[in-house]
Structures are given as structure tokens and as C-alpha cells.
Amino acid sequence: MTIPDSSGYDYMMENGSIELPCKPEEERRIVQELTAKAESNLREGNLYYPISTRWFRGWQRYTGQTEGAYPFAAHSVESQSVIPEEDRPGVIDNTDIIVNGGDNKEADDDPQLIRTLEDGRDYILVPQEVWAKFTEWYKGGPALPRKMISVGAQHKQFVVEVFPLSLRLIDSRDQSEVSIRLSKKASLNDLYVKVCRLKGLNCEKAQIWDYFNKQKQTMLLSSSQTLEESNLQMDQDILLEVLSDGFGTDSTGNGLALVQVEPSRSTFSIAGGPTMSNGNATSYNPDIYQRSTSTSSTYGNIEDGDDALKPATRGDRGGLAGLQNLGNTCFMNSSLQCLVHTPPLVDYFLQDYNDEINRQNPLGMHGELALAFGELLRKLWSPGRAPVAPRAFKGKLARFAPQFSGYNQHDSQELLAFLLDGLHEDLNRVRQKPYIETKDYDGRPDEEIADELWRYHKARNDSVIVDICQGQYKSTLVCPVCDKISITFDPFMYLSLPLPSTATRSMTVTVFYGDGSGLPMPFTVTVLKQGCCKDLNQALGVACCLHNDEYLLLAEVYEHRIYRYLDNPSEPLATIKDDEHIVAYRLPKREADLTRLEICHRYQDNERKPFLTPLVTILEDPHSGAGIDLAVKRMLSPLRRKSFLTPTTVPHSGENGCTFKALEERMKSSGTQLGPARLSNEEIEPEGMSSRELSFRLCITDEKGHSCRPIVKDSPIRPARKVKVMLDWTDKEHELYDSSYLKDLPDVHKSGILAKKTKQEAISLFSCLDAFLKEEPLGPDDMWYCPRCKEHRQASKKLDLWRLPDILVFHLKRFSYSRWLKNKLDTFVNFPIHNLDLSKYVKSKDAFEGSHVYELYAISNHYGGLGGGHYSAYCKLTDGKWYHFDDSHVSSVNESEIKTSAAYVLFYQRVKPRANGKVGKPSDGHMAC
């Protein structure tokens, strides 16, 4: 049902009363005010409602709100041109985001969202007050209330729990199963109340077990402990046992004597030191540190942290256990397997590291992350190949890094970065960080500065992670104005390398003269497929013979409007689709000090629909409508039909003469200075024109083209960075000017039916490293403050490797994100497995580091596309063999098979020199790897 936006239509409400609907702009205003009020009063327990994006986008178009501007949208999407004629949306329809049908075993009647949905892409979250207004205006649904909760142990933040914790309740009396849902912040008391109400039981007679993998793990005692703190996972089993006259009942109905079962306690801490038992310290006794026989079932070895572990060494044939997927946790499993197979970390965490745990570090996690990681590593390195469920570790991760909580897919490299930094802070040997005042390093040798800064860094940061994983690079910044050089030496934990692309694409762009000196002309250029707008600008500049005092302003034209300006030189070209229309306006470089005039066109009829391509020019301080009128005339002059050129017209290629000077005088007298663009002799005011009448019918309009205010010669023009006018084409304009030049812009690329797809060539790891280290200008959003100029400058930046760590991690930047697009590169990167020689890249002249040759020992892989991809890992064990760790499944793999286009994060270890001082045959930096 659609209701036209007209005050003449009545809206029949369900209660029979008649009510006029709000106008679109009124609805938008109300929703914005209610949203802002909700944002200013965030607290736990606030209700939010998911609404189907499909319906919500229709409402946005109807009310004129820019899509992607909604504050609760997680991912900004493309703005669409406002369509004032858009019909009023029908009733709210959320059926496309909820699970259809329903399961008879569901204990909750409320509909559930489909698990794979993403906030901002598939649904939008609105506050309770906004939902109430929407249902008042549109009806429909169903309503899907979700509560706001607080997450994060260190830095509290509010999130909406869109997917509550779903548990499968198994009744031991008849083995029946039913799903129940609670917030992960609900307590075990809440769980007992819900289960007993569902089963009609007295809570005193109920006993609920953590039944993960259908094995009794821990009895869940009714308490204030939350379900999250109990490490309960999405869709896992819990077991209900019912007591009868002091006895329990098993699945066969036989009475069971009630035996109090307590979680087994380890007499040896995971850090290798004494543990606490009933509050008393117990010294380490290796004879009693052995596996409990109470968990000898198939999955008895599956929960990390529930029982004691036998001390393992890398010679005990450990390290072959997989990690269970707890619900889209393959990203975590992949990073963890790479880390737990890092030889120096294995040696460290299998020893006693209790004394190095820093529980007072405000930047750390009170040692809890290091303890959880060490416990998990020991579990994975114990003899045997039973898969481990990292529930306790995931619980710690959710507490200290809530961005990785929930059950959505995340980035393995982002998790790796958090783990390395978190482990460092938890194991930082520095208890009191000294204050170190920076010095002026001008004129001092680089080696002296680098060593001094490294000592300062180690004085504040000293851990096993720094010892083995941190290196140092040299950063050189040069001011483009005063040539001031700034050199710093910064530590790094890993290197994020771009993937240079060799694939190209053909792009057609129509170039417009911003001074009206010529007709628009399409140019087709070839650019790198994975390039940016800067590359397109450079190619176009060469093609159209751009002058030194000009620059090109790129824009996308959609529905005869400028949809967006591509003024960010770092904007990826991948955001420009082949079927889009891109234009470029030639403007003077000093345009930053002038007013940009945007001229749009529309038919002079009842509908006044937009048509033709907008024109862009610049003016110096326009004060009145006369200046706007003259600028429009100048921009249309190349379109003037020959039959209407006056005999006195001088060709543009000649001198402007006295006519140009006379026009300049008139502009000055009208209060408008002449812009840098030249004016032709055709721009002569017709005789007999009224003193207030313009040559064209012009209106000043807003950014969206909604409101229009007609202007005359003496209309005051408010000073602004950009002025937008609407030109109404009458029969006179069509008679004087040939508008065909502004019609039918060519597509960016018109591919033929038989066009061949360009295949991405393989690239080497060295070419990625070269791209990372090359000199390039900083982006406009990353300007550098020059201490000499006292201004922010777009300086050039050059990186050089200075000090390399024993463990060198390369992150291949396969994913690119922008406001309009997410993209993944499946380019095959050819990387060395043996003898990766980086000597030529290290600029330090000191030989204190020893070898610069590395061996590969682990790879984090990503398969598939964005959102629906999968992670796994390749790791090399001490026997020299490679294994594929795919969640729970572990299998051997040939070394020749580990090079794939899925390689995402590469882990290398420094090769120690042999007795003769050699480290093996180094690889050629520019030969095939």
C-alpha cells in the first residue's frame, strides 16, 4: 500500500479514525530528533529494534534523507539521488530478515533474525521511540526488540545484543531438546528460573550442567555469575537433571545418588608456578601433575582450562591438536595456531613464566590474557591429537576485546595484532615506566639516533614479545614547501605490505573546460585496475594536455546531478563501476581561494525535471546575480549555434580585445570580479534588457536541489565555498545553444560481448616489500605538521627497514575498504619458503643483528570472499613437516602445496648462522621465489 505525499489524502487508521500522514520532511525531522535524544542517553537495558534495510531505504528515499547517514548503520552505503516523487512506503515488512516458519522445539515464540545478517547491510537498528513512531505511521512488523548491553572489561562500550545466546536444553528424563534464548549478560539464576518455568519445576530440584559436546563439563550452580563468564557458547547443549527425594534421575529413569561434583583443580598453574587451592599456595610437584582420569572420554581432552596438564616439551610429539570452531571462530583458530607454533613462544610458555606476569600494567589485561594463552598453548602441545575447544580463551578475548565477541567473522590479522600487543603488555617486565624526554636529533648520525631510541623503547617496553617480534624502521618525512626533513625511528610488530597490481582497466572520462573555452571531450585512458583517483587524474592530465596552473576535479554524474566529487586522490578506482558516468572539470589550481559555481539544468515546464550534464566553474567573490549570469553565459558560449554568432564576434583563439575589457568593467561595476577563466566576445549583454533582468532564468538552490530562489541582477549572493544554481532552459536557450554536447555521457567502460577478462599476474613478496618501502605523499587526511612552516603539509614519506626481529611477520593487504566498496585481492604472491634474504633492505650499517635470512614456518590463509570466507593455517613442526590446521581437522601437507593465493599472513624465523658463519643460499631479491 502506498500513500501519495499530499495533504489532500486521508490515512485510514486501524482504529477507524482518520488521520493525515506527516509530510516527508516532518517524518525525517521527528526521527532525527528522537535518534539524537536516544544517542545522548545510552545505557544498559535500552531497547532497539531491527528494521529491514529494504524497507528502511525506501523510507529514506521518501523523506529525502541521505542513505548511509543513519547513525546506527554500521556500514555506510552509497548515497542515492533524492527522488521527490518517491511513493510513501507501505507497512513495515521485516519478513526478509527473520527465520521463516519456526521450530516446534523452540521455547521462545518471538521470531529470530537470520544469523548471517549484518547491521547496516541487511537491517538497521532504531531506538524504541523511533520504532514506536514508525509503527504509528506505517503499522506492520514483526517487532524484534533487542536490549543494549555493556561490553569490555577495560573500556566499557554499549552494543545492542542483536543475537542473544541460544542454548539447546536437553532433558535427561526423556532426552527431549528445546532451544532457549537469554542475554549473555543474564545470570545463572536467570537461567534456572527460565528452565524451571519452562519445565514446570521447582528450582531446588533442578540441576543444570554445561553439556558442551554432549559431555558433562561443569555443573552450573545457580548464582549471579553471567552466562558469558560461564563460557557458554552459542547453540551449545546444557543438560537438565531433576532430583527426586534426594536422588537424581538419569536418562534411563534410574535413580542416581546425588554426588556433589566440583570442577577439577590443578595443582600446577599454567604459568609454571604455584597455584592456589582453597586459598593456600601449593608448591609444584611434577609427580602429581598428570591428567585427570575423570575426563578420559573421547572429548575429555576438549576443554582448555578444566583440568591439569602434564608438562610438555616440543619433543613429546605435541602440537598436532586442532581447535574447535565455536561459531565463526576460524579467524581466531588460524591466528592461534600460527602463534602456538612459533618456536620461541612455545619454549617460553612451556617454561615457568609466572614471575614475568605483569598484573599492575594499566595497559595490560592484569595478566589474564597471557595466562589464558599459555594455558591453551600447553593444552595444544600436550601429547595427543584430540581437538581443543578454546572456550576459556574466547571468553577472555570477549572481555578484553569486545570487537571480537559475538559470532561474526573477523580478520585474523587484526586479532593477531591485538594478541601480540596484549601479550606484550601482560608480560612487560617494566613495572614502572620511566619518563624519557625527547631530544633534538638534527645533525646526529642515524646509527646513534636509532640505537638511542631503541634503548628508550626497551626501557619502557621489555617482554618476550619485544625480544622476538619487534623490529625498527626508519621513517623520513620531507616538507614539499620548505624541504624540512624529519627522521624518526619507530618500532614495528609486523609489516603490512600492499599488493601491487599489474592488471589494467580502460576508463573513459569526459573533460569539461571550467572557463568555457572549449567543448567537452571524452578521453579514454588506461590505468592500473587497483589504482586510485590520483592515477586517473595523472593519466587524464597527460591525455588532455593539462596546463601547469590547472588541475582536474573528478565527479560522478547520476540522474543529471553531481552525485559525488572524487576529490580524494587516495580513493580506489575500484569504487568506480564500468556503467557509471565520470566527468572531469579543468579548474585553476588557485581554486581553493575562489567560489566554485555548480550549474545544473532543467526543463522549463511543469515538471521541471533535470537534464543535461552539470557545469562547474569558479568566480572570485560574486556579490550579485549579475556575476552568476555572466559566468553561466561564459560556460554556455562554446555551445552557441553559429547562426546566432554576431558579426563582431572574435574567434576564441584570437585576442579578446576591447570587448573583453568592456565586459570586465561591467563585471567590476556590478560588484563581481572576473574569474581566472577567459571570457569570449559572445558574452555581450543584449540590448533592451531590463536593468534587473538576467540573460537566463536562474535560481539559487540548496545542495539537494530541493529549494529554489529566483535571482535577478542585484540579488545579493551570500559568500560561500560553493554556490549551486539551477538554469531553466526555455525555447530561447534551445534556439541559441546546442545542448546535444551536454547529453548522453559515455560509460566509464563499455565492454564488448567477447571481451576477454584480464588475468592478474603473479607478484613476488619482494615487489610487495618494494611497494611498502617506496616514497609516496601522505594522504589528505594524514597531513604532517611541519615545524618550520608551522602548518600542516602533504609531506612525502619514505620507510626503510633498520632493525629486524627474530620472528618477522608479513601481512599481505588483500582487503581494501572504503565508504563505497569492500574488496578482496586474490592475487597469487610468490613468497620464499627457504632463505628469504632481506640484507639489501636493511639500511643499518651495524652487524649486531647477525643474519638477515629467514625461513617460513607458518601461514594464516583466507579462502573465499568478504563475509563468507574461511580461515585455516599451515604450520611447520619440529620434525620439519608441514601440517594443515583447519579448525578441528589436522592433516599433513607437502611443502610444495603451501604456496597458494589464499596466503594472508606469513610467519618467518631468522636463520641462525652455522659454525662456518654461513646461513644457506640466499634468495635473489628480484628472481622468482
Side-chain angles (χ1 to χ4, degrees):
M1 177 180 69
T2 58
I3 300 176
D5 175 26
S6 171
S7 59
Y9 287 87
D10 292 338
Y11 183 37
M12 181 68 72
M13 306 299 288
E14 286 187 352
N15 59 9
S17 63
I18 303 296
E19 180 178 317
L20 291 176
C22 294
K23 289 186 177 181
E25 56 271 20
E26 182 66 12
E27 286 190 19
R28 183 177 71 242
R29 182 190 63 79
I30 293 173
V31 168
Q32 289 174 341
E33 289 178 355
L34 291 176
T35 300
K37 183 178 180 181
E39 277 190 294
S40 65
N41 190 33
L42 297 180
R43 63 172 182 267
E44 285 192 276
N46 287 358
L47 287 180
Y48 286 82
Y49 289 75
I51 296 182
S52 168
T53 301
R54 184 175 60 183
W55 183 92
F56 188 79
R57 297 299 182 219
W59 176 83
Q60 282 187 310
R61 289 191 295 270
Y62 167 67
T63 58
Q65 179 177 333
T66 304
E67 293 188 22
Y70 198 72
F72 290 95
H75 308 288
S76 183
V77 298
E78 297 185 21
S79 301
Q80 300 290 334
S81 293
V82 178
I83 307 175
E85 298 83 3
E86 184 79 17
D87 287 339
R88 192 172 194 266
V91 296
I92 300 171
D93 183 6
N94 281 336
T95 56
D96 63 320
I97 62 173
I98 60 176
V99 179
N100 291 326
D103 193 333
N104 293 332
K105 296 179 182 180
E106 298 292 320
D108 300 298
D109 296 329
D110 59 310
Q112 295 301 308
L113 269 71
I114 300 171
R115 284 283 177 82
T116 56
L117 302 183
E118 289 187 24
D119 182 15
R121 184 192 70 183
D122 305 294
Y123 63 87
I124 301 293
L125 290 170
V126 300
Q128 182 178 15
E129 298 79 6
V130 173
W131 171 259
K133 276 297 177 185
F134 277 148
T135 53
E136 175 187 331
W137 293 332
Y138 296 97
K139 306 301 181 186
L144 304 165
R146 295 295 185 264
K147 284 187 178 181
M148 176 169 278
I149 61 175
S150 174
V151 297
Q154 292 176 303
H155 307 288
K156 293 288 185 181
Q157 54 183 279
F158 293 113
V159 299
V160 178
E161 191 175 29
V162 178
F163 300 100
L165 186 63
S166 178
L167 302 170
R168 279 192 301 270
L169 175 67
I170 300 176
D171 195 326
S172 64
R173 296 171 294 182
D174 56 7
Q175 295 301 303
S176 62
E177 296 184 11
V178 65
S179 293
I180 60 174
R181 298 181 184 85
L182 297 93
S183 168
K184 64 182 180 182
K185 294 295 184 180
S187 67
L188 293 178
N189 285 332
D190 298 329
L191 175 64
Y192 268 84
V193 169
K194 183 154 191 171
V195 169
C196 292
R197 184 184 298 124
L198 174 66
K199 293 293 184 177
L201 295 174
N202 187 325
C203 287
E204 295 179 354
K205 293 190 175 184
Q207 223 174 227
I208 302 177
W209 288 82
D210 177 351
Y211 203 49
F212 186 77
N213 284 324
K214 289 195 164 45
Q215 294 291 323
K216 287 184 178 180
Q217 304 289 340
T218 308
M219 184 186 294
L220 301 173
L221 301 176
S222 183
S223 67
S224 59
Q225 186 178 29
T226 66
L227 304 185
E228 181 182 40
E229 293 168 342
S230 304
N231 292 327
L232 296 180
Q233 304 297 308
M234 182 72 81
D235 296 327
Q236 81 154 74
D237 298 325
I238 54 174
L239 179 68
L240 170 66
E241 291 183 340
V242 182
L243 309 181
S244 177
D245 299 327
F247 291 88
T249 304
D250 66 8
S251 59
T252 63
N254 298 322
L256 297 173
L258 176 60
V259 179
Q260 181 65 38
V261 179
E262 295 183 0
S264 57
R265 296 176 183 267
S266 170
T267 55
F268 182 76
S269 78
I270 60 172
T275 187
M276 301 301 294
S277 177
N278 297 324
N280 299 316
T282 305
S283 60
Y284 166 49
N285 183 347
D287 295 333
I288 63 174
Y289 185 57
Q290 53 190 343
R291 188 180 310 282
S292 170
T293 58
S294 64
T295 56
S296 59
S297 63
T298 304
Y299 288 99
N301 186 29
I302 207 160
E303 170 70 297
D304 63 311
D306 282 354
D307 55 80
L309 290 175
K310 182 179 179 180
T313 64
R314 286 195 283 155
D316 290 339
R317 200 55 183 162
L320 287 175
L323 287 166
Q324 275 200 301
N325 193 315
L326 304 178
N328 276 333
T329 56
C330 59
F331 77 97
M332 180 181 77
N333 295 345
S334 175
S335 287
L336 284 174
Q337 290 289 9
C338 292
L339 281 182
V340 302
H341 287 90
T342 297
L345 289 182
V346 176
D347 293 338
Y348 179 86
F349 281 100
L350 289 181
Q351 297 174 1
D352 183 357
Y353 60 95
N354 189 64
D355 290 342
E356 294 206 336
I357 296 177
N358 190 335
R359 293 177 172 84
Q360 288 75 42
N361 187 355
L363 300 178
M365 279 138 274
H366 316 297
E368 293 184 39
L369 183 67
L371 289 170
F373 177 81
E375 185 175 358
L376 180 59
L377 182 144
R378 287 171 174 263
K379 192 75 172 179
L380 292 169
W381 276 94
S382 63
R385 301 183 64 165
V388 174
R391 293 200 298 163
F393 181 85
K394 186 176 184 299
K396 297 294 184 186
L397 192 65
R399 280 190 62 211
F400 294 109
Q403 65 269 30
F404 299 116
S405 63
Y407 300 91
N408 292 326
Q409 187 68 274
H410 296 281
D411 191 307
S412 69
Q413 185 273 332
E414 291 179 1
L415 175 68
L416 174 69
F418 168 79
L419 289 179
L420 289 175
D421 187 64
L423 290 174
H424 156 64
E425 296 295 355
D426 270 5
L427 298 170
N428 197 345
R429 304 177 185 110
V430 179
R431 287 347 192 219
Q432 291 290 333
K433 294 188 177 184
Y435 171 75
I436 299 174
E437 187 174 353
T438 58
K439 299 179 181 179
D440 186 3
Y441 299 110
D442 286 346
R444 295 171 58 187
D446 284 351
E447 286 76 9
E448 182 181 330
I449 301 172
D451 288 348
E452 185 174 287
L453 289 176
W454 185 253
R455 288 195 304 271
Y456 290 168
H457 176 66
K458 290 276 288 187
R460 296 171 58 85
N461 302 277
D462 185 18
S463 70
V464 63
I465 302 299
V466 175
D467 294 343
I468 66 174
C469 294
Q470 284 199 354
Q472 187 182 37
Y473 63 76
K474 175 184 176 182
S475 175
T476 305
L477 291 170
V478 180
C479 178
V481 178
C482 70
D483 294 327
K484 166 68 177 177
I485 298 177
S486 173
I487 297 178
T488 58
F489 292 86
D490 302 305
F492 67 85
M493 200 99 70
Y494 52 87
L495 299 176
S496 290
L497 307 184
L499 272 59
S501 173
T502 58
T504 60
R505 73 184 284 200
S506 175
M507 302 184 72
T508 299
V509 178
T510 305
V511 177
F512 288 78
Y513 287 86
D515 59 359
S517 61
L519 291 169
M521 178 70 67
F523 291 90
T524 300
V525 295
T526 300
V527 292
L528 287 174
K529 194 172 184 179
Q530 298 301 326
C532 55
C533 287
K534 178 182 67 176
D535 303 317
L536 178 59
N537 248 318
Q538 291 175 348
L540 279 174
V542 173
C544 72
C545 300
L546 194 69
H547 298 151
N548 291 333
D549 59 349
E550 293 178 309
Y551 85 103
L552 291 175
L553 175 64
L554 293 172
E556 179 186 346
V557 174
Y558 178 75
E559 295 291 341
H560 310 292
R561 293 183 174 92
I562 292 181
Y563 172 58
R564 59 172 173 143
Y565 285 105
L566 301 168
D567 48 6
N568 179 5
S570 302
E571 181 72 31
L573 292 180
T575 63
I576 303 176
K577 306 294 191 302
D578 283 349
D579 59 351
E580 292 176 349
H581 302 113
I582 303 298
V583 298
Y585 300 102
R586 300 178 64 150
L587 298 173
K589 285 185 177 179
R590 50 191 290 260
E591 184 247 359
D593 303 324
L594 307 172
T595 296
R596 183 188 301 173
L597 177 65
E598 186 178 310
I599 306 165
C600 296
H601 315 268
R602 67 183 180 183
Y603 289 107
Q604 177 61 29
D605 55 22
N606 293 332
E607 295 184 1
R608 293 194 175 185
K609 289 184 177 180
F611 79 126
L612 303 182
T613 303
L615 301 172
V616 174
T617 185
I618 60 98
L619 286 175
E620 292 184 4
D621 193 22
H623 290 293
S624 66
I628 303 293
D629 187 61
L630 289 172
V632 172
K633 184 179 293 186
R634 180 179 68 220
M635 294 301 293
L636 292 181
S637 62
L639 310 180
R640 196 173 180 93
R641 300 182 189 274
K642 290 184 179 180
S643 58
F644 289 94
L645 293 177
T646 62
T648 58
T649 299
V650 180
H652 178 69
S653 58
E655 295 296 325
N656 286 313
C658 60
T659 306
F660 174 81
K661 294 180 179 179
L663 180 58
E664 183 180 13
E665 291 298 326
R666 282 202 302 274
M667 290 187 71
K668 289 181 178 180
S669 64
S670 66
T672 303
Q673 298 181 23
L674 182 64
R678 292 168 295 178
L679 295 173
S680 67
N681 292 337
E682 296 137 21
E683 296 175 322
I684 303 174
E685 184 178 303
E687 294 182 6
M689 180 180 291
S690 166
S691 60
R692 300 187 72 248
E693 186 181 352
L694 297 180
S695 305
F696 305 96
R697 296 189 180 182
L698 297 172
C699 296
I700 293 284
T701 184
D702 59 12
E703 183 64 29
K704 296 181 180 179
H706 283 174
S707 61
C708 285
R709 177 172 57 86
I711 59 174
V712 293
K713 278 189 175 183
D714 54 358
S715 295
I717 303 300
R718 183 181 302 172
R721 179 67 183 84
K722 184 172 73 173
V723 174
K724 185 173 182 179
V725 298
M726 196 71 71
L727 167 61
D728 289 327
W729 280 65
T730 64
D731 292 340
K732 183 185 73 172
E733 279 72 38
H734 285 290
E735 185 179 3
L736 289 174
Y737 302 103
D738 185 356
S739 63
S740 62
Y741 293 101
L742 303 182
K743 292 181 180 178
D744 302 327
L745 290 172
D747 292 346
V748 167
H749 181 70
K750 202 76 172 179
S751 57
I753 300 177
L754 300 177
K756 294 182 180 180
K757 293 184 177 180
T758 57
K759 185 178 180 180
Q760 171 69 55
E761 298 178 8
I763 58 177
S764 73
L765 181 65
F766 297 105
S767 62
C768 298
L769 193 56
D770 290 335
F772 173 73
L773 298 174
K774 75 175 182 180
E775 183 176 356
E776 59 183 0
L778 297 174
D781 299 328
D782 191 25
M783 305 283 272
W784 172 63
Y785 182 79
C786 176
R788 184 179 293 168
C789 296
K790 306 298 183 184
E791 289 187 28
H792 286 90
R793 301 293 190 192
Q794 193 171 1
S796 62
K797 184 175 183 179
K798 175 72 172 71
L799 296 178
D800 292 296
L801 299 182
W802 192 266
R803 182 190 307 262
L804 296 182
D806 289 339
I807 298 298
L808 184 57
V809 180
F810 292 111
H811 162 226
L812 304 179
K813 297 173 69 173
R814 295 193 177 276
F815 302 103
S816 61
Y817 303 91
S818 72
R819 180 179 178 184
W820 297 278
L821 187 71
K822 297 179 181 180
N823 185 45
K824 184 198 173 185
L825 298 176
D826 288 315
T827 307
F828 177 76
V829 178
N830 198 359
F831 50 87
I833 298 175
H834 305 286
N835 302 318
L836 169 64
D837 188 2
L838 300 176
S839 301
K840 60 170 290 186
Y841 293 100
V842 180
K843 298 304 180 182
S844 172
K845 298 177 183 178
D846 294 339
F848 58 83
E849 292 182 88
S851 166
H852 292 143
V853 179
Y854 288 82
E855 293 273 324
L856 185 74
Y857 71 88
I859 307 172
S860 174
N861 300 303
H862 181 272
Y863 302 90
L866 293 166
H870 178 66
Y871 288 93
S872 70
Y874 291 131
C875 300
K876 185 170 72 173
L877 268 65
T878 52
D879 58 5
K881 296 180 180 179
W882 285 87
Y883 294 87
H884 186 206
F885 292 84
D886 188 2
D887 289 332
S888 297
H889 183 68
V890 181
S891 59
S892 61
V893 62
N894 292 327
E895 184 176 274
S896 60
E897 299 174 323
I898 65 173
K899 284 188 181 183
T900 71
S901 59
Y904 183 44
V905 185
L906 307 174
F907 294 76
Y908 284 89
Q909 183 175 18
R910 191 197 304 274
V911 177
K912 295 181 179 179
R914 296 196 293 266
N916 59 5
K918 297 182 178 180
V919 292
K921 184 180 178 181
S923 58
D924 189 341
H926 292 282
M927 291 178 61
C929 306

